[in-house]
């Protein structure tokens, strides 16, 4: 079995890592890092190293492990019901990188989840433990996310903003500022993440990296490789190597 596992769920990724590289990477979603053994030693956005059993990081926070450590990395996308709760929680820290107390039982349930329901239940259990209330997305945020969800691989930020502004009249600059405040991400990064998700879902395509890149909406395999490396610390060829990374899906029930 590969030493590292990637589980793809509905609006969530779970990476169970034993020996992944420890260079800088950043995720365009909420990230929950859970220690598997020793506390995690991280550099966060270039600041001096800090140690914690668990970290909650807002989108685009750059982090680097001082050394490869066994851990679980959970990325939750904006369309997941827990995203806004996680974002508000992380922003309770001035730098939006928060060491959190995750009891051993909760860490185990999050790290070992095999179905979408058990994963979502484990997240809700953690929110309850820390008294993090639910947040209901605004109608206009739900509408924007629905436009993103319906977008094709060739859709641009300008096209989506045009459709959005036909219902919610505003300047594009104001819309961009609102989205950054709401999700912690610009629309271009959100669309780029969707392309990367499509590419990850097609990792086992027998036609190779170039076909996967084009089908996901990337210009070429080199572009996909750069984004994958920056996001996960792995190139697509490594992510597609079953000896390095085993890819599977969270079951629906």
């Amino acid at each position: 079995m590969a030493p590292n596992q990637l589980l793809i769920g509905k609006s969530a990724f779970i990476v169970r890592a034993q020996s992944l590289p420890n260079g800088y990477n950043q995720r365009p979603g909420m990230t929950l890092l859970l220690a598997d053994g020793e506390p995690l030693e991280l550099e966060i956005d270039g600041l001096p190293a800090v140690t914690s059993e668990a970290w909650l990081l807002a989108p685009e926070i750059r982090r680097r492990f001082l050394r490869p450590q066994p851990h679980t990395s959970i990325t939750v996308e904006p369309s997941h019901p827990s995203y806004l709760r996680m974002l508000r929680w992380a922003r309770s820290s001035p730098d939006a990188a928060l060491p959190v107390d995750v009891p051993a039982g909760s860490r185990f349930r999050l790290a070992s989840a095999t179905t979408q329901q058990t994963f979502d239940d484990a997240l809700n259990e953690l929110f309850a433990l820390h008294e993090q209330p639910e947040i209901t997305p605004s109608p206009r945020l739900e509408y924007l996310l629905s436009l993103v969800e319906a977008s094709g691989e060739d859709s641009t930020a300008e096209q989506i903003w045009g459709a959005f502004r036909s219902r919610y009249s505003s300047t594009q600059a104001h819309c961009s500022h609102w989205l950054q405040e709401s999700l912690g991400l610009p629309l271009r990064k959100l669309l780029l993440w969707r392309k990367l998700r499509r590419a990850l879902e097609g990792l086992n395509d027998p036609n190779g990296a170039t076909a996967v890149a084009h089908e996901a909406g990337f210009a070429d395999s080199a572009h996909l490789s750069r984004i994958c490396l920056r996001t996960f610390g792995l190139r697509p060829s490594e992510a597609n190597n079953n000896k390095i990374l085993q890819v599977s899906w969270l079951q629906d029930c």
Side-chain angles (χ1 to χ4, degrees):
M1 179 178 291
N4 310 295
Q5 295 178 296
L6 168 63
L7 277 82
I8 302 175
K10 291 181 178 177
S11 305
F13 286 77
I14 303 174
V15 177
R16 296 167 183 161
Q18 294 294 321
S19 59
L20 287 176
N22 60 327
Y24 273 111
N25 61 77
Q26 58 192 126
R27 306 283 169 81
M30 291 302 307
T31 301
L32 180 62
L33 299 174
L34 305 173
D36 181 8
E38 297 180 0
L40 302 175
E41 296 182 81
L42 299 178
E43 285 182 6
I44 296 176
D45 275 343
L47 297 175
V50 282
T51 303
S52 177
E53 294 280 352
W55 286 95
L56 182 62
L57 307 179
E60 298 292 281
I61 297 289
R62 296 176 71 243
R63 44 88 166 179
R64 182 179 76 88
F65 287 89
L66 294 191
R67 53 191 170 84
Q69 291 184 263
H71 69 280
T72 298
S73 175
I74 295 169
T75 300
V76 173
E77 301 173 65
S79 56
H80 192 280
S82 295
Y83 183 91
L84 295 181
R85 296 170 86 178
M86 296 177 78
L87 179 61
R88 181 173 63 183
W89 191 8
R91 283 176 170 173
S92 66
S93 170
D95 54 7
L98 184 69
V100 293
D101 175 26
V102 182
S106 293
R107 286 207 305 274
F108 174 79
R109 283 186 284 278
L110 284 164
S112 62
T114 57
T115 70
Q116 189 71 45
Q117 189 62 57
T118 56
F119 171 72
D120 291 344
D121 289 346
L123 268 185
N124 289 329
E125 176 187 273
L126 182 61
F127 296 140
L129 178 66
H130 287 273
E131 299 181 344
Q132 295 295 321
E134 292 187 23
I135 301 177
T136 302
S138 67
R140 67 172 181 164
L141 181 56
E142 287 188 320
Y143 180 61
L144 179 64
L145 291 177
S146 72
L147 292 175
V148 172
E149 185 66 26
S151 64
E153 62 271 14
D154 296 325
S155 297
T156 66
E158 288 75 16
Q159 290 170 335
I160 291 176
W161 277 133
F164 177 80
R165 291 166 58 203
S166 67
R167 175 176 294 191
Y168 295 98
S169 180
S170 183
T171 65
Q172 186 160 325
H174 182 270
C175 289
S176 298
H177 178 75
W178 161 75
L179 184 61
Q180 188 71 40
E181 285 296 309
S182 299
L183 295 183
L185 275 173
L187 183 54
R188 291 182 188 278
K189 289 288 182 69
L190 187 54
L191 292 175
L192 188 60
W193 172 250
R194 279 183 55 77
K195 290 181 180 180
L196 182 56
R197 167 183 261 276
R198 284 194 288 265
L200 290 172
E201 290 174 347
L203 278 178
N204 294 321
D205 191 319
N207 295 318
T210 299
V212 169
H214 288 159
E215 289 171 7
F218 289 95
D220 50 39
S221 59
H223 187 201
L224 169 59
S225 183
R226 289 195 301 273
I227 299 303
C228 192
L229 185 63
R230 186 180 71 192
T231 307
F232 288 103
L234 287 175
R235 292 178 174 84
S237 58
E238 296 171 311
N240 201 28
N241 186 336
N242 291 332
K243 294 181 180 179
I244 297 175
L245 184 69
Q246 178 184 357
V247 181
S248 56
W249 279 258
L250 286 176
Q251 300 172 25
D252 288 337
C253 57

